[in-house]
Amino acid sequence: MLSVKQLRPFALATLESFVEASGRVALVQQPPEPVFQQVAMRLGEARTVGMAHRSRLVERLFVMLRGFDALEVHFLRPEVEGQEFSVGRIEGCALMVPDPSVSKSHATLRWNAAAGDCSVRDAGSMNGTWVNAAALHAEQERMLNDGDALAFGDAQFLYLRTETLHAQLRMASPGRG
């Protein structure tokens, strides 16, 4: 997984080249703590661990933004209208989130080509799916907007269109002229 800092040199490419190489959507997250990754991997098919920081979602978002260069970037490459991406703790998920508070099958992201964004639907997860610190009900689907804070249990992400990430990378890239 690449960090924002590692992606900065690629921002010198044209937007079209960057999107073609990366995909339409980026999910940016603070790298998971190694101990949580190990616990999540050991859990395998076992029961999900309870969410620890529900009341701190907004605080954790500010911490992420202060350390933006160290965040990891996950790209989604939707190709057709309605394409779905599974989110969960186990291998085989399109977005595998190694966090013990994430359910095996936690949520689904669905591409909406007309809007140029994805929607998110909670899959009845134990710790819920959160958009801008508001919980989704089980099986509720919500359209995401560029810049939304998205959390699966304790694992928090920024949902960005790739062109937004590209613009942010270009603003702080060395060699910009």
Side-chain angles (χ1 to χ4, degrees):
M1 198 58 41
L2 292 175
S3 71
V4 169
K5 185 176 183 176
Q6 291 169 318
L7 280 173
R8 286 207 186 279
F10 298 102
L12 300 176
T14 65
L15 174 60
E16 295 76 22
S17 298
F18 189 77
V19 170
E20 185 177 321
S22 304
R24 301 293 307 160
V25 175
L27 292 165
V28 184
Q29 84 167 126
Q30 190 159 3
E33 295 291 330
V35 68
F36 289 136
Q37 286 182 331
Q38 291 172 0
V39 169
M41 294 303 109
R42 286 190 188 127
L43 282 175
E45 295 293 323
R47 191 155 192 263
T48 305
V49 173
M51 186 174 176
H53 303 293
R54 183 170 294 155
S55 64
R56 295 185 29 216
L57 287 173
V58 173
E59 176 187 317
R60 288 181 25 240
L61 177 62
F62 287 123
V63 169
M64 284 176 60
L65 292 174
R66 280 192 297 250
F68 193 69
D69 269 6
L71 301 181
E72 290 182 344
V73 181
H74 305 266
F75 288 105
L76 298 180
R77 301 178 66 80
E79 297 175 7
V80 296
E81 174 66 32
Q83 184 174 353
E84 293 188 347
F85 299 90
S86 58
V87 178
R89 188 182 71 232
I90 60 174
E91 284 189 42
C93 289
L95 178 62
M96 187 178 150
V97 184
D99 186 290
S101 70
V102 174
S103 294
K104 293 174 278 192
S105 178
H106 197 101
T108 302
L109 296 165
R110 180 192 322 264
W111 176 244
N112 181 312
D117 280 311
C118 290
S119 60
V120 62
R121 183 181 70 246
D122 185 78
S125 65
M126 178 177 161
N127 290 310
T129 300
W130 304 74
V131 178
N132 298 325
L136 296 181
H137 303 292
E139 302 301 325
Q140 176 186 2
E141 190 164 354
R142 177 167 170 191
M143 197 67 187
L144 295 169
N145 296 304
D146 192 26
D148 278 347
L150 179 60
F152 307 105
D154 282 330
Q156 188 149 357
F157 295 81
L158 290 174
Y159 171 86
L160 298 173
R161 291 180 179 168
T162 302
E163 56 264 23
T164 301
L165 177 60
H166 183 261
Q168 175 60 35
L169 293 172
R170 286 183 69 88
M171 285 193 301
S173 289
R176 219 179 133 250

